[in-house]
Amino acid sequence: MDVLILMGSDSDADVMSAAGAALNEFGLTWEMTVASAHRSPARVLRLIGDAHDRGVKVFIVGAGAAAHLAGVVAAHTSRPVVGVPIDATALKGVDALLSTVQMPPGVPVATVAIGKPGATNAGVLAAQMIALADPQVARRLVDYKASLEAKVEAAAARLASRKLDR
Ligand code: RP5
């Protein structure tokens, strides 16, 4: 397994599945499960240990509210941790963003945007990390970037043809 996706609650699953979808684009293997820093701390530690045994290269970790899960994972691994803040409370994810990003020196969590766009970017960022040692993933990233560019070109062409209609 290349990537383990962890989230604090099954209520995070809709957002975090975007990370898995992004990893699929690059042919990476991953699993996704729930483990809460506050409600099931022993399960978090067990999953990190299992992930190390299975050769996981990157952890992607999403949580909402006072989101400590990504930081706890980062405390127990020397592998990269990408954190996804989730909009789960009245503060609309700003609480989770600050809890996830404001790590003390020496224990980084690579924090992406709040919600689904962040989860997608977490998958892409994990692929970019893995690509440093995997030429096939690196090639897929080049293709992915080219597809983003092609979409912009197509959108610009559509817009231009609409202008001609007027
Ligand atoms: C966090 O609290 C979870 O990551 C979730 O985003 C939020 C709410 O969890 P539930 O009450 O929906 O289980 O721990």
Side-chain angles (χ1 to χ4, degrees), residues 6 26 29 40 44 56 58-59 67 70 75 78 94-95 135 163:
L6 289 177
F26 307 108
T29 56
S40 66
V44 174
V56 158
V58 181
F59 292 87
S78 54
V94 174
D95 42 359
K163 269 186 199 148

Side-chain angles (χ1 to χ4, degrees), residues 7-12 36 38-39 62-65 86 88:
M7 57 196 161
S9 167
D10 58 349
S11 63
D12 302 325
S36 167
H38 306 121
R39 294 165 174 158
I86 293 181

Side-chain angles (χ1 to χ4, degrees), residues 18-33:
L23 294 168
N24 287 343
E25 299 250 4
F26 307 108
L28 293 168
T29 56
W30 55 275
E31 288 178 15
M32 183 163 91
T33 189

Side-chain angles (χ1 to χ4, degrees), residues 75-91:
H76 288 92
T77 186
S78 54
R79 299 176 198 183
V81 177
V82 183
V84 183
I86 293 181
D87 171 4
T89 75
L91 298 183

